[in-house]
Amino acid sequence: MRLIQNMSTIAECTAPGYSVLNRVIKIAVIGGSGVGKTALVVRFLTRRFIGDYERNAGNLYSREIQVDGDQVTIQVQDTPGAEMTDNGISLPDHVSCSIQWADAVVLVYSVTDRRSFELIDQLHQLVARSGGAGAPPVILLANKADLLHLRRVDSQQGPLLAGTLGCSFYEVSASEDYNQVHGAFHRLCCQLAKQPQQQQPTSPPTASGATEKRRSPLIPRPKSPNMQDLKRRFKQALSAKVRTVTSV
């Protein structure tokens, strides 16, 4: 996935080798198209909200964070949006594989999109089927809570559905409140960090079942304008020295 705005904040580059001492927590984010899955992931990992994205291709995001005083590597698998068709729910094979790979699943709907809310029950059933006896824990996020004038899902319906599904519920706004988003993901990470780590590949499997080497969007430190100026001046000085040597 490439970001349409603020390209310098998240760069696609080869994932680094993680320390063997670091706990790796793997989270898959699943929901309908346009509910803000990518915005939530980026908000959680970078504190930034970016409103426009290219079509979700399903990227793996990674970052090291502190959980209960321990350094933990978080891997968050963004997934393409699910769609409701006449024959039921339509999902890429990659999504089912991501569920099997993940330690936990975040189900997302938008309070402005009734159909995305109606998808949640079927997506939860998919998680239960894909995980089998060892189905991963699930939390339910209702996004775009700030768009009160566009709300199509009553604020009480989310908690009622979460209670039926047996999962935690959070109503958040990726655009307006970082603390809400961070709190939901961080509490899930704390819960997972207390569980014994399963020996699973750190890269999500492909539809064929093999692990896939992926490019992971990381968060580089922004380059200092002063450093860029120094590099430019150094190159100019080096070029002048080469010309002087050549002329001699």
Side-chain angles (χ1 to χ4, degrees):
M1 179 193 68
R2 301 180 189 277
L3 300 183
I4 294 174
Q5 297 181 7
N6 210 2
M7 292 283 287
S8 63
T9 59
I10 300 178
E12 289 190 339
C13 59
T14 304
Y18 299 114
S19 167
V20 294
L21 300 178
N22 279 12
R23 171 71 185 266
V24 178
I25 292 177
K26 304 181 292 295
I27 300 172
V29 180
I30 300 172
S33 297
V35 299
K37 297 185 298 298
T38 304
L40 287 166
V41 174
V42 172
R43 187 68 145 152
F44 168 55
L45 294 178
T46 73
R47 292 176 174 262
R48 296 173 175 86
F49 172 73
I50 303 172
D52 295 317
Y53 297 88
E54 291 181 0
R55 186 174 179 83
N56 188 339
N59 269 22
L60 179 67
Y61 292 76
S62 181
R63 189 180 184 183
E64 292 187 356
I65 66 172
Q66 290 282 332
V67 175
D68 291 338
D70 296 324
Q71 194 78 358
V72 174
T73 298
I74 304 296
Q75 292 185 341
V76 185
Q77 178 65 52
D78 196 6
T79 61
E83 300 286 353
M84 184 76 79
T85 68
D86 294 338
N87 297 322
I89 192 170
S90 174
L91 273 178
D93 292 337
H94 170 70
V95 176
S96 296
C97 296
S98 296
I99 294 171
Q100 296 172 2
W101 161 85
D103 296 319
V105 172
V106 177
L107 298 179
V108 183
Y109 71 88
S110 167
V111 300
T112 67
D113 183 353
R114 183 73 193 180
R115 290 175 66 86
S116 71
F117 175 76
E118 294 170 350
L119 277 172
I120 294 299
D121 184 60
Q122 295 186 54
L123 289 174
H124 188 269
Q125 292 179 36
L126 175 66
V127 172
R129 291 196 303 269
S130 299
V138 174
I139 67 170
L140 179 60
L141 287 189
N143 192 27
K144 306 188 182 182
D146 56 300
L147 301 179
L148 299 177
H149 61 295
L150 298 176
R151 180 181 284 272
R152 297 294 180 269
V153 182
D154 187 86
S155 59
Q156 298 302 314
Q157 291 184 288
L160 288 174
L161 177 59
T164 301
L165 301 179
C167 62
S168 299
F169 172 79
Y170 304 91
E171 186 167 287
V172 303
S173 168
S175 65
E176 295 292 329
D177 197 328
Y178 162 75
N179 290 327
Q180 289 178 340
V181 177
H182 177 267
F185 276 93
H186 190 75
R187 280 189 282 273
L188 177 61
C189 291
C190 291
Q191 175 188 346
L192 294 171
K194 296 176 183 178
Q195 299 177 356
Q197 183 168 12
Q198 299 178 359
Q199 296 299 320
Q200 293 182 352
T202 55
S203 293
T206 62
S208 62
T211 58
E212 178 184 3
K213 293 183 179 179
R214 304 180 61 87
R215 293 172 66 82
S216 174
L218 301 175
I219 308 149
R221 293 181 179 178
K223 295 181 179 179
S224 166
N226 293 333
M227 182 61 69
Q228 291 178 341
D229 185 59
L230 287 173
K231 288 181 179 179
R232 178 180 57 80
R233 292 164 61 186
F234 175 78
K235 289 180 180 179
Q236 290 175 346
L238 185 61
S239 299
K241 183 178 292 187
V242 170
R243 287 197 297 269
T244 302
V245 172
T246 302
S247 62
V248 173

Coordinates of all heavy atoms in Angstrom, one line a residue, residues 43-109:
R43 N -2.9 5.2 12.6 CA -3.1 6.1 13.8 C -2.5 5.4 15.0 O -1.8 6.1 15.8 CB -4.6 6.3 14.0 CG -5.0 7.3 15.1 CD -4.6 8.7 14.7 NE -5.5 9.7 15.2 CZ -5.2 10.9 15.5 NH1 -3.9 11.3 15.3 NH2 -6.1 11.8 15.9
F44 N -2.7 4.1 15.2 CA -2.1 3.4 16.3 C -0.6 3.4 16.3 O 0.0 3.7 17.3 CB -2.7 2.0 16.3 CG -1.9 1.1 17.3 CD1 -1.8 1.4 18.6 CD2 -1.4 -0.1 16.8 CE1 -1.1 0.5 19.5 CE2 -0.7 -1.0 17.7 CZ -0.6 -0.6 19.0
L45 N 0.0 3.2 15.1 CA 1.4 3.0 15.0 C 2.2 4.3 14.9 O 3.4 4.4 15.2 CB 1.8 2.1 13.9 CG 1.3 0.6 14.0 CD1 1.7 -0.2 12.8 CD2 1.9 0.0 15.2
T46 N 1.6 5.4 14.4 CA 2.3 6.6 14.1 C 1.7 7.8 14.8 O 2.4 8.9 14.7 CB 2.3 6.9 12.6 OG1 1.0 7.4 12.2 CG2 2.7 5.7 11.8
R47 N 0.6 7.7 15.4 CA -0.2 8.9 16.0 C -0.8 9.8 15.0 O -1.5 10.7 15.3 CB 0.7 9.7 17.0 CG 1.2 9.0 18.2 CD 2.1 9.9 19.0 NE 2.4 9.3 20.3 CZ 1.8 9.6 21.5 NH1 0.9 10.5 21.5 NH2 2.2 9.0 22.6
R48 N -0.5 9.6 13.7 CA -1.0 10.5 12.7 C -2.3 9.9 12.0 O -2.5 8.7 11.9 CB 0.1 10.6 11.6 CG 1.4 11.3 12.1 CD 2.4 11.2 11.0 NE 3.6 11.9 11.4 CZ 4.6 11.4 12.1 NH1 4.5 10.2 12.5 NH2 5.7 12.1 12.4
F49 N -3.1 10.9 11.6 CA -4.3 10.5 10.8 C -4.1 11.0 9.4 O -3.8 12.2 9.2 CB -5.5 11.1 11.4 CG -6.7 10.9 10.5 CD1 -7.3 9.7 10.4 CD2 -7.3 12.0 9.7 CE1 -8.4 9.5 9.5 CE2 -8.3 11.8 8.9 CZ -8.9 10.5 8.8
I50 N -4.2 10.1 8.4 CA -4.1 10.4 7.0 C -5.4 10.0 6.4 O -5.8 8.8 6.4 CB -2.9 9.7 6.4 CG1 -1.6 10.1 7.2 CG2 -2.7 10.1 4.9 CD1 -0.4 9.3 6.8
G51 N -6.0 10.9 5.7 CA -7.4 10.7 5.3 C -7.6 9.9 4.0 O -8.6 9.3 3.8
D52 N -6.6 10.0 3.1 CA -6.8 9.4 1.8 C -5.7 8.4 1.5 O -4.5 8.6 1.8 CB -6.7 10.5 0.7 CG -7.8 11.5 0.8 OD1 -8.9 11.0 1.0 OD2 -7.5 12.7 0.7
Y53 N -6.1 7.2 1.0 CA -5.2 6.1 0.7 C -5.6 5.5 -0.6 O -6.7 5.6 -1.1 CB -5.4 5.0 1.8 CG -5.0 5.4 3.2 CD1 -5.9 5.9 4.0 CD2 -3.7 5.2 3.6 CE1 -5.6 6.3 5.3 CE2 -3.3 5.6 4.9 CZ -4.3 6.1 5.7 OH -4.0 6.5 7.0
E54 N -4.6 4.9 -1.2 CA -4.9 4.1 -2.4 C -5.6 2.8 -1.9 O -5.7 2.5 -0.7 CB -3.6 3.7 -3.2 CG -3.0 4.9 -3.8 CD -1.7 4.5 -4.6 OE1 -1.4 3.3 -4.6 OE2 -1.1 5.4 -5.2
R55 N -6.2 2.1 -2.9 CA -7.0 0.9 -2.5 C -6.1 0.0 -1.7 O -5.0 -0.3 -1.9 CB -7.4 0.2 -3.8 CG -8.4 -1.0 -3.5 CD -8.9 -1.5 -4.8 NE -9.8 -2.6 -4.6 CZ -11.1 -2.6 -4.3 NH1 -11.6 -1.4 -4.1 NH2 -11.8 -3.6 -4.0
N56 N -6.8 -0.6 -0.6 CA -6.1 -1.4 0.3 C -5.6 -2.7 -0.3 O -6.4 -3.5 -0.8 CB -7.1 -1.8 1.5 CG -6.4 -2.5 2.6 OD1 -5.4 -3.1 2.5 ND2 -7.0 -2.4 3.8
A57 N -4.3 -2.9 -0.4 CA -3.7 -4.1 -1.0 C -3.4 -5.2 0.1 O -3.0 -6.3 -0.2 CB -2.5 -3.8 -1.8
G58 N -3.5 -4.8 1.4 CA -3.3 -5.8 2.4 C -1.8 -5.8 2.8 O -1.1 -6.8 2.5
N59 N -1.3 -4.8 3.5 CA 0.1 -4.7 3.9 C 0.3 -5.1 5.3 O -0.6 -5.0 6.2 CB 0.6 -3.3 3.6 CG 1.2 -3.2 2.2 OD1 0.9 -3.9 1.3 ND2 2.1 -2.2 2.1
L60 N 1.5 -5.5 5.6 CA 2.0 -5.8 6.9 C 2.7 -4.6 7.5 O 3.7 -4.2 7.0 CB 2.8 -7.1 6.9 CG 3.4 -7.5 8.3 CD1 2.2 -8.0 9.2 CD2 4.4 -8.6 8.1
Y61 N 2.2 -4.1 8.6 CA 2.9 -3.0 9.3 C 3.6 -3.6 10.6 O 3.1 -4.5 11.2 CB 1.9 -2.0 9.8 CG 1.2 -1.2 8.7 CD1 0.2 -1.8 7.9 CD2 1.5 0.1 8.5 CE1 -0.4 -1.1 6.9 CE2 0.9 0.8 7.5 CZ -0.1 0.2 6.7 OH -0.7 0.9 5.7
S62 N 4.8 -3.0 10.9 CA 5.5 -3.5 12.0 C 6.1 -2.3 12.8 O 6.6 -1.4 12.2 CB 6.6 -4.5 11.5 OG 7.3 -5.0 12.6
R63 N 6.2 -2.5 14.1 CA 6.8 -1.5 15.0 C 7.1 -2.1 16.3 O 6.3 -3.0 16.8 CB 5.9 -0.3 15.1 CG 6.7 0.9 15.8 CD 5.8 2.1 16.0 NE 6.6 3.2 16.6 CZ 6.1 4.4 16.9 NH1 4.8 4.6 16.7 NH2 6.8 5.3 17.4
E64 N 8.1 -1.6 17.0 CA 8.4 -2.1 18.3 C 7.9 -1.1 19.3 O 8.0 0.2 19.1 CB 10.0 -2.2 18.5 CG 10.6 -3.3 17.7 CD 12.1 -3.5 18.1 OE1 12.6 -2.7 18.9 OE2 12.6 -4.5 17.5
I65 N 7.2 -1.6 20.4 CA 6.6 -0.7 21.4 C 6.8 -1.3 22.7 O 7.3 -2.5 22.9 CB 5.1 -0.6 21.2 CG1 4.3 -1.9 21.4 CG2 4.7 0.0 19.8 CD1 2.8 -1.8 21.4
Q66 N 6.5 -0.5 23.8 CA 6.7 -1.0 25.1 C 5.3 -1.5 25.6 O 4.3 -0.8 25.5 CB 7.1 0.1 26.0 CG 8.6 0.6 25.8 CD 9.6 -0.4 26.5 OE1 9.3 -1.0 27.5 NE2 10.8 -0.5 25.9
V67 N 5.3 -2.7 26.2 CA 4.1 -3.3 26.7 C 4.4 -3.8 28.1 O 5.2 -4.7 28.3 CB 3.5 -4.4 25.9 CG1 2.3 -5.1 26.6 CG2 3.1 -3.9 24.5
D68 N 3.9 -3.2 29.2 CA 4.1 -3.5 30.5 C 5.6 -3.5 30.8 O 6.2 -4.4 31.5 CB 3.5 -4.9 30.9 CG 2.0 -4.9 30.9 OD1 1.5 -3.8 31.1 OD2 1.4 -5.9 30.7
G69 N 6.4 -2.6 30.3 CA 7.8 -2.5 30.5 C 8.7 -3.3 29.6 O 9.9 -3.2 29.7
D70 N 8.1 -4.2 28.8 CA 8.9 -5.0 27.9 C 8.8 -4.5 26.5 O 7.8 -4.0 26.0 CB 8.4 -6.5 28.0 CG 8.5 -7.1 29.4 OD1 9.6 -6.8 30.0 OD2 7.7 -7.9 29.8
Q71 N 9.9 -4.7 25.8 CA 10.0 -4.3 24.4 C 9.3 -5.4 23.6 O 9.7 -6.6 23.7 CB 11.4 -4.2 23.9 CG 11.6 -3.5 22.5 CD 11.4 -2.0 22.6 OE1 11.1 -1.5 23.7 NE2 11.5 -1.3 21.5
V72 N 8.3 -5.1 22.8 CA 7.5 -6.0 22.0 C 7.4 -5.6 20.5 O 7.3 -4.4 20.3 CB 6.1 -6.1 22.6 CG1 5.2 -7.0 21.7 CG2 6.1 -6.7 24.0
T73 N 7.5 -6.5 19.6 CA 7.4 -6.2 18.2 C 5.9 -6.5 17.8 O 5.4 -7.6 18.0 CB 8.3 -7.1 17.3 OG1 9.6 -6.8 17.7 CG2 8.1 -6.8 15.9
I74 N 5.2 -5.4 17.4 CA 3.9 -5.5 16.9 C 3.8 -5.7 15.4 O 4.4 -4.8 14.7 CB 3.0 -4.3 17.4 CG1 3.1 -4.1 18.9 CG2 1.6 -4.5 16.9 CD1 2.5 -5.2 19.7
Q75 N 3.2 -6.7 14.9 CA 2.9 -6.8 13.5 C 1.4 -6.7 13.3 O 0.7 -7.5 13.8 CB 3.5 -8.1 12.9 CG 5.0 -8.2 13.0 CD 5.5 -9.5 12.3 OE1 4.8 -10.5 12.2 NE2 6.8 -9.5 12.0
V76 N 1.0 -5.8 12.4 CA -0.4 -5.6 12.2 C -0.7 -5.8 10.7 O -0.1 -5.1 9.8 CB -0.9 -4.2 12.6 CG1 -2.4 -4.1 12.4 CG2 -0.5 -3.9 14.0
Q77 N -1.5 -6.8 10.4 CA -1.8 -7.2 9.0 C -3.1 -6.4 8.6 O -4.2 -6.7 9.1 CB -2.0 -8.7 8.9 CG -2.4 -9.1 7.5 CD -1.3 -8.8 6.5 OE1 -0.2 -9.2 6.7 NE2 -1.7 -8.2 5.4
D78 N -3.0 -5.4 7.7 CA -4.1 -4.8 7.1 C -4.7 -5.7 6.0 O -3.9 -6.4 5.4 CB -3.7 -3.4 6.6 CG -4.9 -2.5 6.3 OD1 -6.0 -2.9 6.6 OD2 -4.6 -1.4 5.7
T79 N -6.0 -5.7 5.8 CA -6.6 -6.6 4.9 C -7.5 -5.9 3.9 O -8.2 -4.9 4.3 CB -7.3 -7.8 5.6 OG1 -8.4 -7.2 6.3 CG2 -6.4 -8.6 6.4
P80 N -7.7 -6.4 2.7 CA -8.7 -5.8 1.8 C -10.1 -5.9 2.4 O -10.4 -6.8 3.2 CB -8.5 -6.6 0.5 CG -7.2 -7.2 0.6 CD -6.9 -7.5 2.1
G81 N -11.0 -5.0 2.0 CA -12.3 -5.0 2.5 C -13.2 -6.1 2.1 O -13.1 -6.6 1.0
A82 N -14.0 -6.6 3.1 CA -15.0 -7.6 2.8 C -16.2 -7.0 2.1 O -16.5 -5.8 2.3 CB -15.5 -8.3 4.0
E83 N -16.9 -7.7 1.3 CA -18.1 -7.2 0.6 C -19.3 -8.2 0.8 O -19.1 -9.4 0.8 CB -17.8 -7.0 -0.9 CG -16.7 -6.1 -1.2 CD -17.1 -4.6 -1.0 OE1 -18.3 -4.4 -0.8 OE2 -16.3 -3.7 -1.1
M84 N -20.5 -7.7 0.8 CA -21.7 -8.5 0.9 C -22.2 -8.7 -0.5 O -22.4 -7.7 -1.2 CB -22.7 -7.8 1.8 CG -24.0 -8.7 2.0 SD -23.7 -10.0 3.2 CE -23.8 -9.1 4.7
T85 N -22.4 -9.9 -0.9 CA -23.0 -10.2 -2.2 C -24.3 -11.0 -2.1 O -24.7 -11.4 -1.0 CB -22.0 -11.0 -3.1 OG1 -21.8 -12.3 -2.5 CG2 -20.6 -10.3 -3.1
D86 N -24.9 -11.3 -3.2 CA -26.2 -12.1 -3.1 C -25.9 -13.5 -2.6 O -26.8 -14.1 -2.1 CB -26.8 -12.1 -4.5 CG -27.3 -10.8 -5.0 OD1 -27.5 -9.9 -4.2 OD2 -27.4 -10.6 -6.3
N87 N -24.7 -14.0 -2.8 CA -24.3 -15.3 -2.4 C -23.7 -15.3 -1.0 O -23.2 -16.4 -0.6 CB -23.4 -16.0 -3.4 CG -24.0 -16.1 -4.7 OD1 -25.2 -16.4 -4.8 ND2 -23.2 -15.9 -5.8
G88 N -23.7 -14.2 -0.3 CA -23.1 -14.1 1.0 C -21.9 -13.2 1.0 O -21.8 -12.2 0.3
I89 N -21.0 -13.5 1.9 CA -19.8 -12.6 2.1 C -18.7 -12.9 1.1 O -18.5 -14.1 0.8 CB -19.3 -12.7 3.5 CG1 -18.3 -11.6 3.8 CG2 -18.7 -14.0 3.8 CD1 -18.0 -11.5 5.3
S90 N -18.1 -11.9 0.6 CA -17.0 -12.1 -0.4 C -15.7 -11.6 0.2 O -15.6 -10.4 0.6 CB -17.3 -11.3 -1.7 OG -16.2 -11.3 -2.6
L91 N -14.7 -12.5 0.3 CA -13.4 -12.2 0.9 C -12.3 -12.8 0.1 O -12.4 -13.9 -0.4 CB -13.3 -12.7 2.3 CG -13.9 -11.9 3.5 CD1 -13.7 -12.7 4.8 CD2 -13.2 -10.6 3.6
P92 N -11.2 -12.0 0.0 CA -10.0 -12.6 -0.7 C -9.5 -13.8 0.2 O -9.6 -13.8 1.4 CB -9.0 -11.5 -0.7 CG -9.8 -10.2 -0.6 CD -11.0 -10.6 0.3
D93 N -8.9 -14.8 -0.5 CA -8.3 -15.9 0.3 C -7.3 -15.4 1.3 O -7.1 -16.1 2.4 CB -7.6 -16.9 -0.7 CG -8.7 -17.6 -1.5 OD1 -9.8 -17.7 -1.2 OD2 -8.3 -18.1 -2.6
H94 N -6.6 -14.3 1.0 CA -5.6 -13.8 1.9 C -6.1 -13.5 3.3 O -5.4 -13.6 4.3 CB -5.0 -12.5 1.2 CG -4.1 -11.7 2.1 ND1 -2.9 -12.1 2.5 CD2 -4.3 -10.5 2.7 CE1 -2.3 -11.2 3.3 NE2 -3.2 -10.2 3.4
V95 N -7.4 -13.1 3.4 CA -7.9 -12.8 4.7 C -8.0 -14.0 5.6 O -7.7 -13.9 6.7 CB -9.3 -12.1 4.5 CG1 -10.0 -11.8 5.8 CG2 -9.2 -10.8 3.7
S96 N -8.5 -15.1 5.0 CA -8.6 -16.3 5.8 C -7.2 -16.8 6.3 O -7.0 -17.2 7.5 CB -9.2 -17.4 5.0 OG -10.6 -17.1 4.7
C97 N -6.2 -16.6 5.5 CA -4.8 -17.0 5.9 C -4.3 -16.1 7.0 O -3.6 -16.5 7.9 CB -3.9 -16.9 4.6 SG -4.3 -18.1 3.4
S98 N -4.7 -14.8 6.9 CA -4.3 -13.8 7.9 C -4.9 -14.2 9.3 O -4.2 -14.0 10.3 CB -4.7 -12.4 7.5 OG -4.0 -12.0 6.3
I99 N -6.1 -14.6 9.3 CA -6.8 -15.0 10.5 C -6.0 -16.2 11.2 O -5.7 -16.2 12.4 CB -8.2 -15.4 10.3 CG1 -9.0 -14.2 9.8 CG2 -8.8 -16.0 11.5 CD1 -10.4 -14.5 9.3
Q100 N -5.6 -17.2 10.3 CA -4.8 -18.3 10.9 C -3.5 -17.9 11.4 O -3.0 -18.5 12.3 CB -4.7 -19.4 9.8 CG -6.0 -19.9 9.3 CD -5.9 -20.8 8.1 OE1 -4.8 -21.1 7.6 NE2 -7.0 -21.3 7.6
W101 N -2.9 -16.9 10.8 CA -1.6 -16.4 11.2 C -1.6 -15.6 12.5 O -0.7 -15.6 13.3 CB -1.0 -15.5 10.0 CG 0.1 -14.6 10.4 CD1 1.4 -14.9 10.4 CD2 0.0 -13.2 10.7 NE1 2.1 -13.8 10.7 CE2 1.3 -12.7 10.9 CE3 -1.1 -12.3 10.8 CZ2 1.5 -11.4 11.3 CZ3 -0.9 -11.0 11.1 CH2 0.5 -10.5 11.4
A102 N -2.7 -14.9 12.7 CA -2.8 -13.9 13.7 C -2.9 -14.4 15.1 O -3.5 -15.5 15.4 CB -3.9 -12.9 13.5
D103 N -2.4 -13.7 16.1 CA -2.6 -14.0 17.5 C -4.0 -13.4 18.0 O -4.5 -13.8 19.0 CB -1.5 -13.4 18.4 CG -0.2 -14.0 18.1 OD1 -0.1 -15.2 18.0 OD2 0.8 -13.2 18.0
A104 N -4.5 -12.4 17.3 CA -5.7 -11.7 17.6 C -6.3 -11.1 16.4 O -5.5 -10.7 15.4 CB -5.6 -10.7 18.7
V105 N -7.6 -10.8 16.4 CA -8.3 -10.2 15.2 C -9.1 -9.0 15.7 O -9.7 -9.1 16.7 CB -9.2 -11.2 14.5 CG1 -10.1 -10.5 13.5 CG2 -8.4 -12.4 13.9
V106 N -8.9 -7.9 15.0 CA -9.7 -6.7 15.2 C -10.8 -6.6 14.1 O -10.4 -6.4 12.9 CB -8.8 -5.5 15.2 CG1 -9.7 -4.2 15.4 CG2 -7.8 -5.6 16.3
L107 N -12.0 -6.7 14.5 CA -13.1 -6.5 13.5 C -13.6 -5.1 13.6 O -13.8 -4.5 14.6 CB -14.3 -7.4 13.9 CG -14.1 -8.9 13.9 CD1 -15.3 -9.7 14.3 CD2 -13.6 -9.4 12.5
V108 N -13.7 -4.5 12.4 CA -14.0 -3.0 12.3 C -15.2 -2.8 11.4 O -15.4 -3.4 10.4 CB -12.8 -2.3 11.6 CG1 -13.1 -0.8 11.6 CG2 -11.5 -2.6 12.4
Y109 N -16.1 -1.9 11.9 CA -17.2 -1.4 11.1 C -17.2 0.1 11.3 O -16.6 0.7 12.2 CB -18.5 -2.1 11.5 CG -19.1 -1.6 12.8 CD1 -20.0 -0.5 12.9 CD2 -18.9 -2.4 13.9 CE1 -20.5 -0.2 14.1 CE2 -19.5 -2.0 15.1 CZ -20.3 -0.9 15.2 OH -20.8 -0.6 16.4

